[in-house]
Amino acid sequence: LAKQNPATFLPDVATTLNNLANLHNDTNEMAIALSEYREALEIYRELVTHNPATFLPYVATTLNNLAVLHWNTNEMAIALSEYQEALQIRRELATHNPSTFLPDVALTLNNLASLHWDTNEMAIALSEYREALEIYHKLAKQNPATFLPDVAMTLNNLASLHSDTNETDLAMSAYQEALQIYQDFAKKSPAAFQPKVDLVLKNIAIL
């Protein structure tokens, strides 16, 4: 179909390639998944030249998927480059449409921070977690039901980083704030949030 009508059907080709890649990633067929993600990315980049507003978000998502794959295969430099490009695109999109794309900026910052933590670049990871937390705090003021759990998740990440760098007081403060948020949500939705409460309590006990 895309040979006869590329404008209509190339996006569907790319979407299906992304779905296939996700499946191959889940079944640990990394080389096949990599090839499919790359082909999807190539199509989305081509589509961006004609319609950037529609297809730049898909470029960023596919870059994020590729980064996760490269991280899992221990190709940290490639993963870093892909996360950084995804972040750059999402920052640009968020300047025009913050309500839609700021959550993606924060998510990518969280991913980058975790990668920098893995590569022992603690100061960079700290900066990225803090920026992600600042964004989630801002979003949570407008929509607490959606974004307060993200605040808690980022606080837990920050606390674990502070624990690793022996900043015990900072770690404890962040854990306790995360715990309070999760406990409040667990009262209304225990099945979803009690495991998160237990996780933070375990982290506090270890600290």
Side-chain angles (χ1 to χ4, degrees):
L1 292 167
K3 286 179 183 175
Q4 297 162 0
N5 189 343
T8 300
F9 292 107
L10 267 179
D12 296 321
V13 172
T15 298
T16 309
L17 283 164
N18 242 317
N19 292 342
L20 267 170
N22 290 338
L23 184 144
H24 282 122
N25 195 20
D26 282 352
T27 56
N28 212 33
E29 297 174 274
M30 299 302 195
I32 301 173
L34 178 61
S35 172
E36 289 160 344
Y37 280 139
R38 282 177 171 165
E39 188 180 352
L41 181 61
E42 185 180 341
I43 292 169
Y44 284 135
R45 287 196 194 279
E46 182 182 334
L47 292 166
V48 159
T49 62
H50 305 291
N51 189 343
T54 298
F55 292 107
L56 268 175
Y58 292 103
V59 170
T61 298
T62 310
L63 283 165
N64 193 78
N65 292 342
L66 272 166
V68 171
L69 187 147
H70 282 122
W71 187 358
N72 288 337
T73 56
N74 211 34
E75 297 174 276
M76 298 302 198
I78 301 173
L80 177 62
S81 172
E82 289 159 344
Y83 275 139
Q84 286 174 332
E85 187 181 354
L87 180 61
Q88 183 181 348
I89 292 168
R90 286 169 167 172
R91 282 194 196 280
E92 183 183 331
L93 292 166
T95 60
H96 304 293
N97 190 344
S99 61
T100 299
F101 293 108
L102 267 179
D104 294 328
V105 171
L107 176 65
T108 312
L109 283 164
N110 248 311
N111 292 342
L112 268 169
S114 297
L115 186 145
H116 281 123
W117 186 358
D118 267 6
T119 56
N120 210 34
E121 297 174 275
M122 299 303 200
I124 301 174
L126 178 63
S127 172
E128 290 160 342
Y129 278 140
R130 282 178 170 164
E131 187 182 353
L133 182 61
E134 184 181 342
I135 292 169
Y136 282 135
H137 271 306
K138 186 186 300 184
L139 293 166
K141 285 179 183 176
Q142 301 163 350
N143 189 343
T146 299
F147 292 109
L148 271 176
D150 293 316
V151 170
M153 175 266 295
T154 310
L155 282 164
N156 185 68
N157 292 343
L158 253 178
S160 298
L161 179 68
H162 284 309
S163 178
D164 269 8
T165 54
N166 292 318
E167 298 171 284
T168 306
D169 290 344
L170 290 173
M172 183 60 75
S173 174
Y175 277 140
Q176 287 175 334
E177 189 179 347
L179 180 63
Q180 183 63 61
I181 294 169
Y182 282 142
Q183 284 175 329
D184 289 343
F185 276 86
K187 290 173 187 174
K188 300 172 187 175
S189 182
F193 289 101
Q194 189 57 46
K196 298 180 187 297
V197 170
D198 295 343
L199 173 66
V200 180
L201 283 169
K202 179 182 174 184
N203 289 340
I204 291 172
I206 291 168
L207 183 70

